[in-house]
């Protein structure tokens, strides 16, 4: 559900803009408010998973997500849609850390690896089917249908959640005092992300010196200082323990770089396919299938490859391949044909699959009593990087597009120039994560203090069953 909500909306954005008469900034808010709310509240979701229980948090999040999805489908204005999208993000902030914590800590090793494989397949399926489903539904049923379909999915998830028996030994978290997370940290993180997103999205239109943008920038700076103070001078046991783990720090950094690059590219690729190449929503959705198919094809071989060549090398190679794929899409877009960009999209999916061991190792390096906070923080960085990526790559696209238009280029050619510049920037960002992956996973026997015996992604238990 949470993965589908990002992919289906991307393809539906052009129709949403036309029917609700949205400007560029409003359209960015429709795309960005969901990951913004998700990222801002994920630490709170992880805290709740460690205190009130992983299962209870998961079920509450599914219920909240379902109700807000229905609100999105009934929205008749941009303001209403943005508001309900934000509520969707709040529900997702409970779902993601609780579900990841269940996978990482409530299952025995062999079942855990199978669950991670199933999750990867589910995410890839959402990536593959989401744009296609969105294209078909948007073209024939309207953009409202892409939100309404969450209602039966949410009801089915709640029914299954109530039917599946509880796993008694792992259902309770450790004493709260061992995994404390100051709510000030959550509040400061929310203010930081909100202020930064407002500056990047509204700054190009309102001007960086306008009062709202300047105030948002000041809030972001003050929140960043306060957050740094909380994490360093105050003894926040849960986060301080997590940031001692090299795999976790490396995973956070590479996830940030990956999100800054790929998320922004996805937002503008949908517009390029429909506005630049003139594709229908259905055809534009079909274009994203190579990304997911290559990920699915590569997934069964990742564990064996990582055991032979090492987690760090495989993850670094994957990030470099993603960067190469982005460059190939930039070069292929010059041809003005769909065929020229498909190889690059396939390489992006294959490289993303190779980077999976870094994510798994980062999550498994966390102590059991802080599993929810670790999953929440990791997911928060991923979603926050998506918000900043849309705005950050958008600044490059807008700047280059305006410069090309001022030089006399046609509107379509100017947008193409901006789109290519955004792809090149994204390629450089994700490529910078390769040395970080090598540093984070250069040794395989690091065991965090107070954590359970590690079970890294590529070892015995992680090999998928035939």
């Amino acid at each position: 559900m949470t993965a589908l909500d990002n992919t289906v909306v991307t393809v539906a954005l052009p129709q949403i803009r036309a029917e609700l008469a949205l400007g560029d900034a409003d359209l960015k808010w429709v795309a960005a408010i969901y990951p913004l709310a998700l990222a801002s509240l994920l630490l709170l979701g992880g805290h709740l998973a460690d205190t009130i229980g992983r299962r209870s948090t998961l079920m509450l999040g599914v219920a909240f997500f379902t109700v807000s999805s229905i609100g999105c489908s009934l929205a008749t204005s941009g303001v209403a849609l943005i508001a309900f999208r934000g509520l969707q993000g709040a529900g997702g902030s409970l779902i993601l850390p609780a579900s990841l914590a269940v996978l990482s800590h409530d299952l025995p090793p062999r079942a855990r690896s199978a669950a991670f494989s199933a999750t990867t397949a589910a995410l890839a399926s959402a990536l593959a089917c989401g744009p296609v489903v969105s294209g078909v539904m948007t073209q024939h049923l309207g953009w409202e249908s892409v939100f309404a379909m969450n209602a039966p999915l949410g009801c089915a998830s709640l029914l299954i959640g109530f039917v599946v028996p509880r796993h008694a030994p792992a259902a309770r978290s450790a004493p709260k005092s061992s995994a404390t997370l100051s709510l000030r940290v959550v509040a400061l993180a929310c203010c930081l992300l909100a202020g930064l997103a407002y500056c990047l999205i509204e700054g190009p239109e309102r001007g960086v010196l306008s009062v709202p943008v300047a105030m948002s920038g000041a809030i972001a700076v003050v929140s960043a200082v306060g957050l740094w103070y909380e994490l360093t001078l105050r003894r926040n046991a849960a986060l301080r323990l997590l940031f001692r783990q090299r795999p976790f720090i490396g995973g956070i950094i590479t996830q940030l770089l990956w999100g800054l690059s790929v998320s922004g590219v996805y937002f503008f690729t949908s517009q390029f396919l429909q506005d630049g190449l003139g594709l229908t929503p259905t055809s534009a959705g079909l274009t994203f299938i190579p990304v997911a198919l290559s990920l699915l094809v590569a997934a069964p071989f990742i564990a064996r490859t990582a055991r032979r060549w090492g987690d760090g090398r495989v993850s670094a190679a994957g990030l470099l391949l993603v960067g190469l794929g982005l460059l190939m899409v930039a070069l292929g877009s010059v041809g003005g044909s769909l065929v020229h960009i498909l190889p690059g999209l396939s390489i992006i999916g294959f490289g993303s699959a190779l980077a999976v061991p870094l994510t798994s190792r980062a999550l498994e390096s966390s102590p059991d009593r802080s599993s929810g906070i670790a999953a929440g923080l990791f997911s928060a960085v991923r979603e926050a990087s998506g918000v900043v990526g849309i705005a950050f790559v958008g600044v490059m696209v807008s700047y280059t597009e305006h410069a090309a238009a001022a030089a006399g280029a046609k509107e379509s050619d100017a947008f193409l120039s901006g789109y290519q510049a955004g792809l090149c920037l994204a390629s450089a960002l994700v490529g910078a994560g390769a040395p970080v992956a090598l540093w984070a996973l250069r040794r395989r026997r690091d065991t965090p203090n107070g954590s359970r015996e590690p079970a890294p992604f590529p070892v015995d238990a992680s090999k998928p069953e035939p």
Side-chain angles (χ1 to χ4, degrees), residues 17-28:
R17 176 172 57 184
E19 293 193 8
L20 298 183
L22 302 181
D24 290 340
D26 293 331
L27 190 68
K28 288 180 181 179

Side-chain angles (χ1 to χ4, degrees), residues 127 251-266 291 295 315 318-323 326 348-349 351-353 355 358-359 381-383 385-386 389 393 426 429-433:
L127 185 64
I252 289 289
I253 296 174
T254 53
Q255 188 63 64
L256 176 63
L257 294 172
W258 190 92
L260 284 173
S261 56
V262 177
S263 297
V265 166
Y266 255 75
V291 180
L295 194 154
S315 297
L319 294 171
L320 291 176
L321 283 176
V322 173
L326 292 171
I348 290 174
S352 298
L358 184 58
T359 301
V381 170
R382 178 181 61 199
E383 299 299 333
S385 65
V393 175
L429 288 172
V430 73

Side-chain angles (χ1 to χ4, degrees), residues 3-12 122-138 146 149 281 285-286 288-289 292:
L4 273 174
D5 200 71
N6 267 328
T7 57
V8 297
V9 173
T10 299
V11 178
L123 293 174
S125 298
L127 185 64
C129 301
V132 179
V133 171
S134 174
V136 174
M137 297 181 71
T138 299
V146 303
M149 70 177 180
L286 289 170
F288 291 100
I289 285 184

Side-chain angles (χ1 to χ4, degrees), residues 269-297:
T269 297
S270 177
Q271 298 181 54
F272 169 73
L273 293 174
Q274 297 183 56
D275 299 335
L277 299 184
L279 300 181
T280 64
T282 302
S283 300
L286 289 170
T287 305
F288 291 100
I289 285 184
V291 180
L293 288 182
S294 56
L295 194 154
L296 282 172
V297 170

Side-chain angles (χ1 to χ4, degrees), residues 310-337:
D311 298 345
R313 293 178 181 176
V314 171
S315 297
L319 294 171
L320 291 176
L321 283 176
V322 173
L324 175 62
L326 292 171
L327 288 178
M328 292 180 64
V329 173
L331 294 175
S333 63
V334 179
S337 173

Side-chain angles (χ1 to χ4, degrees), residues 14 61 107 186 202 236 313 318 322 332 347 393 417-419 436 462:
L107 299 174
V186 178
E202 297 289 345
N236 197 309
R313 293 178 181 176
V322 173
I347 291 179
V393 175
S417 298
Y419 177 61
V436 178
S462 294

